[in-house]
Amino acid sequence: MAKLTVVTENFAPAQYLDANNNLVGDAADKVRLALDSAGIDYSISVNDWSMAYNIALRDPQTCIFSISRSPERENNFIWFAKLAQFDTNFYSLKSKGISLTNLEQAKQYRIAVLKDNYTAIITYFQKALKKTKI
C-alpha cells in the first residue's frame, strides 16, 4: 500500500507546530493514534490553509484535518471521523469598541476569512440567519 499523505494547518489548540517544530494538539494526537493503530504508513505536513485544502482536493491519496464539514464540501471528501466541535466568532480590535448583539449588525463591517475557508463562514451565517429574526 502506498504511503498516505496527511495535510493540515496551524490551528491552535487543535493542531499546531510547537517551539521545536513538532506537530502537537488534541486533533493531531487523535489522527496519529488512529493511523498508527490501523498500521497505516503516513506522513503529515503542516501548510497554510489554502495549500492544504487544495492538495486534499486534488489528490485522492491525501487526507486533511481539521476541516469543517459543510454542504458545499460534502461531496468533495470522504468524511470518516469527527475530531472536535468548534464555534465561529467575530473579532475586532478592542480600540474599535465594536459590540454585536445579532448577525444583522455584522453586515456593516468588512469581514475577513482565510482563503478557501469561506464556506464554513457562509454556512454558519446561513444557519444563524434562519434562526435569527431580523
Side-chain angles (χ1 to χ4, degrees), residues 47-64:
N47 306 282
D48 65 63
W49 173 253
S50 184
M51 181 180 288
Y53 182 73
N54 283 292
I55 290 170
L57 279 175
R58 287 191 309 265
D59 183 4
Q61 296 299 315
T62 298
C63 293
I64 186 170

PDB file of all heavy atoms in Angstrom, residues 47-64:
ATOM      1  N   ASN A  47       0.849  23.016   6.417  1.00  0.00           N
ATOM      2  CA  ASN A  47       0.884  24.014   5.345  1.00  0.00           C
ATOM      3  C   ASN A  47      -0.044  25.165   5.699  1.00  0.00           C
ATOM      4  O   ASN A  47      -0.805  25.078   6.663  1.00  0.00           O
ATOM      5  CB  ASN A  47       0.390  23.379   4.037  1.00  0.00           C
ATOM      6  CG  ASN A  47       1.143  22.129   3.685  1.00  0.00           C
ATOM      7  OD1 ASN A  47       2.246  22.198   3.196  1.00  0.00           O
ATOM      8  ND2 ASN A  47       0.557  20.968   3.953  1.00  0.00           N
ATOM      9  N   ASP A  48      -0.023  26.221   4.882  1.00  0.00           N
ATOM     10  CA  ASP A  48      -1.057  27.225   5.079  1.00  0.00           C
ATOM     11  C   ASP A  48      -2.372  26.588   4.641  1.00  0.00           C
ATOM     12  O   ASP A  48      -2.391  25.595   3.908  1.00  0.00           O
ATOM     13  CB  ASP A  48      -0.754  28.533   4.330  1.00  0.00           C
ATOM     14  CG  ASP A  48      -0.764  28.373   2.821  1.00  0.00           C
ATOM     15  OD1 ASP A  48      -1.814  28.034   2.248  1.00  0.00           O
ATOM     16  OD2 ASP A  48       0.303  28.587   2.208  1.00  0.00           O
ATOM     17  N   TRP A  49      -3.490  27.141   5.118  1.00  0.00           N
ATOM     18  CA  TRP A  49      -4.791  26.514   4.898  1.00  0.00           C
ATOM     19  C   TRP A  49      -5.094  26.280   3.420  1.00  0.00           C
ATOM     20  O   TRP A  49      -5.508  25.197   3.021  1.00  0.00           O
ATOM     21  CB  TRP A  49      -5.922  27.321   5.543  1.00  0.00           C
ATOM     22  CG  TRP A  49      -7.239  26.746   5.145  1.00  0.00           C
ATOM     23  CD1 TRP A  49      -8.138  27.271   4.264  1.00  0.00           C
ATOM     24  CD2 TRP A  49      -7.762  25.469   5.527  1.00  0.00           C
ATOM     25  NE1 TRP A  49      -9.203  26.407   4.088  1.00  0.00           N
ATOM     26  CE2 TRP A  49      -8.982  25.291   4.866  1.00  0.00           C
ATOM     27  CE3 TRP A  49      -7.309  24.463   6.378  1.00  0.00           C
ATOM     28  CZ2 TRP A  49      -9.773  24.163   5.010  1.00  0.00           C
ATOM     29  CZ3 TRP A  49      -8.094  23.338   6.530  1.00  0.00           C
ATOM     30  CH2 TRP A  49      -9.309  23.189   5.861  1.00  0.00           C
ATOM     31  N   SER A  50      -4.914  27.292   2.598  1.00  0.00           N
ATOM     32  CA  SER A  50      -5.277  27.188   1.189  1.00  0.00           C
ATOM     33  C   SER A  50      -4.497  26.068   0.506  1.00  0.00           C
ATOM     34  O   SER A  50      -5.053  25.294  -0.278  1.00  0.00           O
ATOM     35  CB  SER A  50      -5.034  28.520   0.487  1.00  0.00           C
ATOM     36  OG  SER A  50      -5.465  28.454  -0.849  1.00  0.00           O
ATOM     37  N   MET A  51      -3.210  25.958   0.807  1.00  0.00           N
ATOM     38  CA  MET A  51      -2.400  24.911   0.200  1.00  0.00           C
ATOM     39  C   MET A  51      -2.862  23.522   0.659  1.00  0.00           C
ATOM     40  O   MET A  51      -3.057  22.615  -0.159  1.00  0.00           O
ATOM     41  CB  MET A  51      -0.920  25.090   0.529  1.00  0.00           C
ATOM     42  CG  MET A  51      -0.051  24.014  -0.115  1.00  0.00           C
ATOM     43  SD  MET A  51       1.694  24.216   0.273  1.00  0.00           S
ATOM     44  CE  MET A  51       2.056  25.654  -0.718  1.00  0.00           C
ATOM     45  N   ALA A  52      -3.064  23.348   1.962  1.00  0.00           N
ATOM     46  CA  ALA A  52      -3.512  22.057   2.489  1.00  0.00           C
ATOM     47  C   ALA A  52      -4.852  21.670   1.865  1.00  0.00           C
ATOM     48  O   ALA A  52      -5.029  20.528   1.416  1.00  0.00           O
ATOM     49  CB  ALA A  52      -3.626  22.117   4.014  1.00  0.00           C
ATOM     50  N   TYR A  53      -5.771  22.587   1.816  1.00  0.00           N
ATOM     51  CA  TYR A  53      -7.106  22.327   1.279  1.00  0.00           C
ATOM     52  C   TYR A  53      -7.036  21.914  -0.189  1.00  0.00           C
ATOM     53  O   TYR A  53      -7.655  20.934  -0.610  1.00  0.00           O
ATOM     54  CB  TYR A  53      -7.972  23.569   1.460  1.00  0.00           C
ATOM     55  CG  TYR A  53      -9.394  23.415   0.979  1.00  0.00           C
ATOM     56  CD1 TYR A  53     -10.305  22.640   1.688  1.00  0.00           C
ATOM     57  CD2 TYR A  53      -9.828  24.048  -0.172  1.00  0.00           C
ATOM     58  CE1 TYR A  53     -11.620  22.498   1.250  1.00  0.00           C
ATOM     59  CE2 TYR A  53     -11.130  23.916  -0.619  1.00  0.00           C
ATOM     60  CZ  TYR A  53     -12.019  23.145   0.097  1.00  0.00           C
ATOM     61  OH  TYR A  53     -13.314  22.995  -0.337  1.00  0.00           O
ATOM     62  N   ASN A  54      -6.273  22.633  -0.978  1.00  0.00           N
ATOM     63  CA  ASN A  54      -6.193  22.347  -2.406  1.00  0.00           C
ATOM     64  C   ASN A  54      -5.430  21.061  -2.708  1.00  0.00           C
ATOM     65  O   ASN A  54      -5.766  20.350  -3.654  1.00  0.00           O
ATOM     66  CB  ASN A  54      -5.625  23.544  -3.166  1.00  0.00           C
ATOM     67  CG  ASN A  54      -6.675  24.611  -3.332  1.00  0.00           C
ATOM     68  OD1 ASN A  54      -7.647  24.419  -4.049  1.00  0.00           O
ATOM     69  ND2 ASN A  54      -6.534  25.720  -2.622  1.00  0.00           N
ATOM     70  N   ILE A  55      -4.430  20.729  -1.906  1.00  0.00           N
ATOM     71  CA  ILE A  55      -3.749  19.440  -2.061  1.00  0.00           C
ATOM     72  C   ILE A  55      -4.745  18.316  -1.818  1.00  0.00           C
ATOM     73  O   ILE A  55      -4.810  17.349  -2.580  1.00  0.00           O
ATOM     74  CB  ILE A  55      -2.550  19.328  -1.090  1.00  0.00           C
ATOM     75  CG1 ILE A  55      -1.430  20.282  -1.507  1.00  0.00           C
ATOM     76  CG2 ILE A  55      -2.033  17.891  -1.029  1.00  0.00           C
ATOM     77  CD1 ILE A  55      -0.316  20.411  -0.462  1.00  0.00           C
ATOM     78  N   ALA A  56      -5.530  18.432  -0.759  1.00  0.00           N
ATOM     79  CA  ALA A  56      -6.519  17.397  -0.432  1.00  0.00           C
ATOM     80  C   ALA A  56      -7.596  17.291  -1.507  1.00  0.00           C
ATOM     81  O   ALA A  56      -8.066  16.191  -1.809  1.00  0.00           O
ATOM     82  CB  ALA A  56      -7.139  17.674   0.932  1.00  0.00           C
ATOM     83  N   LEU A  57      -7.982  18.396  -2.095  1.00  0.00           N
ATOM     84  CA  LEU A  57      -8.979  18.363  -3.177  1.00  0.00           C
ATOM     85  C   LEU A  57      -8.449  17.641  -4.418  1.00  0.00           C
ATOM     86  O   LEU A  57      -9.179  16.912  -5.081  1.00  0.00           O
ATOM     87  CB  LEU A  57      -9.385  19.781  -3.583  1.00  0.00           C
ATOM     88  CG  LEU A  57     -10.414  20.493  -2.732  1.00  0.00           C
ATOM     89  CD1 LEU A  57     -10.594  21.927  -3.219  1.00  0.00           C
ATOM     90  CD2 LEU A  57     -11.742  19.758  -2.737  1.00  0.00           C
ATOM     91  N   ARG A  58      -7.169  17.860  -4.735  1.00  0.00           N
ATOM     92  CA  ARG A  58      -6.590  17.319  -5.970  1.00  0.00           C
ATOM     93  C   ARG A  58      -6.134  15.873  -5.871  1.00  0.00           C
ATOM     94  O   ARG A  58      -6.144  15.151  -6.864  1.00  0.00           O
ATOM     95  CB  ARG A  58      -5.398  18.176  -6.404  1.00  0.00           C
ATOM     96  CG  ARG A  58      -5.765  19.515  -6.980  1.00  0.00           C
ATOM     97  CD  ARG A  58      -4.564  20.184  -7.626  1.00  0.00           C
ATOM     98  NE  ARG A  58      -3.392  20.239  -6.767  1.00  0.00           N
ATOM     99  CZ  ARG A  58      -3.054  21.268  -5.991  1.00  0.00           C
ATOM    100  NH1 ARG A  58      -3.810  22.332  -5.963  1.00  0.00           N
ATOM    101  NH2 ARG A  58      -1.977  21.233  -5.258  1.00  0.00           N
ATOM    102  N   ASP A  59      -5.683  15.450  -4.693  1.00  0.00           N
ATOM    103  CA  ASP A  59      -5.047  14.138  -4.567  1.00  0.00           C
ATOM    104  C   ASP A  59      -5.894  13.177  -3.741  1.00  0.00           C
ATOM    105  O   ASP A  59      -6.034  13.358  -2.532  1.00  0.00           O
ATOM    106  CB  ASP A  59      -3.667  14.304  -3.926  1.00  0.00           C
ATOM    107  CG  ASP A  59      -2.912  12.993  -3.819  1.00  0.00           C
ATOM    108  OD1 ASP A  59      -3.407  11.951  -4.300  1.00  0.00           O
ATOM    109  OD2 ASP A  59      -1.809  13.006  -3.240  1.00  0.00           O
ATOM    110  N   PRO A  60      -6.452  12.146  -4.358  1.00  0.00           N
ATOM    111  CA  PRO A  60      -7.302  11.208  -3.615  1.00  0.00           C
ATOM    112  C   PRO A  60      -6.558  10.384  -2.568  1.00  0.00           C
ATOM    113  O   PRO A  60      -7.182   9.744  -1.731  1.00  0.00           O
ATOM    114  CB  PRO A  60      -7.895  10.311  -4.714  1.00  0.00           C
ATOM    115  CG  PRO A  60      -6.988  10.461  -5.881  1.00  0.00           C
ATOM    116  CD  PRO A  60      -6.357  11.817  -5.783  1.00  0.00           C
ATOM    117  N   GLN A  61      -5.219  10.407  -2.583  1.00  0.00           N
ATOM    118  CA  GLN A  61      -4.428   9.694  -1.578  1.00  0.00           C
ATOM    119  C   GLN A  61      -3.998  10.620  -0.442  1.00  0.00           C
ATOM    120  O   GLN A  61      -3.058  10.320   0.288  1.00  0.00           O
ATOM    121  CB  GLN A  61      -3.186   9.056  -2.231  1.00  0.00           C
ATOM    122  CG  GLN A  61      -3.521   7.988  -3.241  1.00  0.00           C
ATOM    123  CD  GLN A  61      -4.286   6.830  -2.610  1.00  0.00           C
ATOM    124  OE1 GLN A  61      -3.943   6.343  -1.548  1.00  0.00           O
ATOM    125  NE2 GLN A  61      -5.350   6.394  -3.266  1.00  0.00           N
ATOM    126  N   THR A  62      -4.676  11.746  -0.323  1.00  0.00           N
ATOM    127  CA  THR A  62      -4.353  12.730   0.711  1.00  0.00           C
ATOM    128  C   THR A  62      -5.548  12.932   1.626  1.00  0.00           C
ATOM    129  O   THR A  62      -6.675  13.084   1.167  1.00  0.00           O
ATOM    130  CB  THR A  62      -3.952  14.081   0.082  1.00  0.00           C
ATOM    131  OG1 THR A  62      -2.776  13.883  -0.704  1.00  0.00           O
ATOM    132  CG2 THR A  62      -3.678  15.135   1.142  1.00  0.00           C
ATOM    133  N   CYS A  63      -5.279  12.941   2.924  1.00  0.00           N
ATOM    134  CA  CYS A  63      -6.295  13.259   3.945  1.00  0.00           C
ATOM    135  C   CYS A  63      -6.001  14.644   4.492  1.00  0.00           C
ATOM    136  O   CYS A  63      -4.850  15.086   4.497  1.00  0.00           O
ATOM    137  CB  CYS A  63      -6.227  12.258   5.094  1.00  0.00           C
ATOM    138  SG  CYS A  63      -6.718  10.601   4.629  1.00  0.00           S
ATOM    139  N   ILE A  64      -7.024  15.300   4.994  1.00  0.00           N
ATOM    140  CA  ILE A  64      -6.861  16.625   5.593  1.00  0.00           C
ATOM    141  C   ILE A  64      -7.577  16.674   6.934  1.00  0.00           C
ATOM    142  O   ILE A  64      -8.627  16.077   7.115  1.00  0.00           O
ATOM    143  CB  ILE A  64      -7.404  17.739   4.654  1.00  0.00           C
ATOM    144  CG1 ILE A  64      -7.094  19.119   5.210  1.00  0.00           C
ATOM    145  CG2 ILE A  64      -8.877  17.537   4.364  1.00  0.00           C
ATOM    146  CD1 ILE A  64      -7.371  20.256   4.239  1.00  0.00           C
TER     147      ILE A  64
END
